[in-house]
């Protein structure tokens, strides 16, 4: 049976493009233009994933997401128009599973939807309420309270930036994070830094991981895009 996607977005042109892309990829799509319509649909219909616009006329997407979370752990992907909104999605614990900044390609949304559904289904029941940091199972353990990360049972000696960058990758395994997203995760003032700085810190992290396991190289470079942490590599060895 096709996965059921609920789009809550007030701009018809954006919704139309999304509906077309998602239906082409085999999803069953329902569209609501208002927060209250979306909530009513969620209360009565089964939904596998919600694509939620932050700027809705009757209620902010943030508020709606909070209300959705009181009744369901359905994955929520935000559509945002502004950088400040991204900060809120990332910074606040509002339970979003992903976000895409407008303008975006509908094909990209469809690929992300597929990735979220794959990721969330790998988790045991109820695990969606756990912090995302528990996801990249086996090899890595992120101890947020102590600001440290272990790899294959060994605590890594990381600089602050290395910790923040590796932590950001760990929180979204198999997800390509651009250098600017990684800078956002690590720097108070990302504009003052450069892509090169991220590359340097990634190099430092890789060297430290290699000291633990010389064979594995779980951080992948995506040329011109950024970096991702490969979850497949983590399960290949005890
Ligand atoms: Ca809007």
């Amino acid at each position: 049976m096709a996965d059921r996607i609920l789009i809550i977005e007030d701009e018809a042109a954006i919704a139309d493009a999304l509906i077309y892309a998602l239906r082409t990829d085999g999803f069953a799509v329902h569209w609501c233009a208002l927060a209250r319509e979306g909530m009513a649909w969620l209360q009565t219909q089964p939904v596998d994933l919600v694509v939620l616009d932050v700027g809705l006329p009757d209620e902010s997407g943030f508020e709606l997401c909070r209300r959705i979370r009181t009744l369901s752990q359905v994955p929520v992907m935000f559509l945002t128009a502004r950088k400040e909104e991204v900060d809120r999605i990332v910074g606040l614990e509002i339970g979003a599973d992903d976000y895409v900044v407008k303008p975006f390609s509908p094909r990209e949304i469809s690929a992300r939807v597929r990735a979220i559904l794959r990721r969330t289904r790998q988790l045991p029941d109820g695990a969606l309420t756990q912090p995302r940091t528990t996801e990249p199972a086996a090899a890595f353990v992120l101890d947020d309270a102590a600001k440290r990360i272990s790899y294959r049972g060994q605590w890594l000696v990381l600089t602050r930036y290395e910790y923040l960058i590796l932590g950001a990758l760990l929180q979204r395994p198999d997800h390509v994070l651009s250098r600017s997203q990684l800078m956002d995760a690590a720097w108070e003032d990302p504009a003052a830094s450069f892509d090169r700085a991220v590359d340097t810190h990634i190099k430092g992290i890789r060297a430290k991981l290699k000291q633990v396991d010389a064979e594995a190289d779980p951080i992948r470079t995506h040329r011109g895009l950024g970096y991702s942490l490969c979850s497949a590599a983590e399960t290949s060895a005890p």
Side-chain angles (χ1 to χ4, degrees):
M1 198 172 102
D3 286 314
R4 295 148 300 197
I5 312 299
L6 172 63
I7 298 171
I8 309 175
E9 159 67 73
D10 58 307
E11 284 176 68
I14 291 174
D16 281 347
L18 284 178
I19 291 166
Y20 179 79
L22 289 165
R23 283 192 179 148
T24 301
D25 280 355
F27 294 105
V29 186
H30 182 80
W31 171 41
C32 294
L34 295 173
R36 65 169 177 274
E37 290 171 3
M39 195 64 182
W41 184 267
L42 274 166
Q43 282 166 335
T44 55
Q45 303 292 326
V47 171
D48 295 299
L49 184 142
V50 180
V51 177
L52 176 56
D53 182 32
V54 172
L56 293 168
D58 57 335
E59 184 180 24
S60 92
F62 296 130
E63 277 311 310
L64 181 58
C65 185
R66 281 198 195 90
R67 293 206 292 130
I68 290 172
R69 280 287 167 266
T70 64
L71 65 106
S72 164
Q73 289 300 324
V74 64
V76 173
M77 182 169 73
F78 273 114
L79 304 177
T80 97
R82 301 202 313 272
K83 170 78 172 59
E84 309 86 78
E85 292 174 345
V86 172
D87 291 343
R88 289 194 63 195
I89 294 166
V90 176
L92 297 180
E93 295 289 314
I94 50 180
D97 292 85
D98 202 355
Y99 64 88
V100 178
V101 181
K102 297 175 182 177
F104 49 74
S105 103
R107 303 285 309 169
E108 178 195 1
I109 304 276
S110 194
R112 296 253 199 135
V113 163
R114 199 173 295 287
I116 296 168
L117 288 172
R118 199 184 319 122
R119 192 170 77 215
T120 52
R121 278 186 187 140
Q122 284 166 356
L123 299 175
D125 287 347
L128 285 178
T129 55
Q130 298 297 313
R132 202 70 46 81
T133 49
T134 59
E135 258 185 54
F140 290 93
V141 175
L142 189 149
D143 178 354
D144 189 48
K147 303 289 178 218
R148 59 182 186 166
I149 296 170
S150 78
Y151 177 57
R152 299 197 190 283
Q154 295 185 35
W155 292 109
L156 300 168
V157 183
L158 301 170
T159 67
R160 180 179 126 80
Y161 291 139
E162 288 170 350
Y163 168 79
L164 291 169
I165 289 172
L166 182 57
L169 288 168
L170 277 171
Q171 288 180 39
R172 306 178 83 182
D174 298 319
H175 190 110
V176 178
L177 296 178
S178 69
R179 288 180 178 80
S180 67
Q181 282 175 309
L182 290 170
M183 275 195 280
D184 285 349
W187 276 269
E188 313 268 310
D189 181 12
S193 303
F194 299 94
D195 285 0
R196 267 198 312 283
V198 172
D199 296 344
T200 304
H201 292 296
I202 288 280
K203 204 173 151 193
I205 293 167
R206 276 192 170 129
K208 287 172 186 182
L209 299 182
K210 272 212 177 337
Q211 287 170 13
V212 177
D213 182 341
E215 299 298 309
D217 187 10
I219 296 178
R220 298 234 168 109
T221 306
H222 300 263
R223 287 186 66 177
L225 293 173
Y227 296 96
S228 69
L229 186 77
C230 177
S231 62
E234 292 160 29
T235 51
S236 63

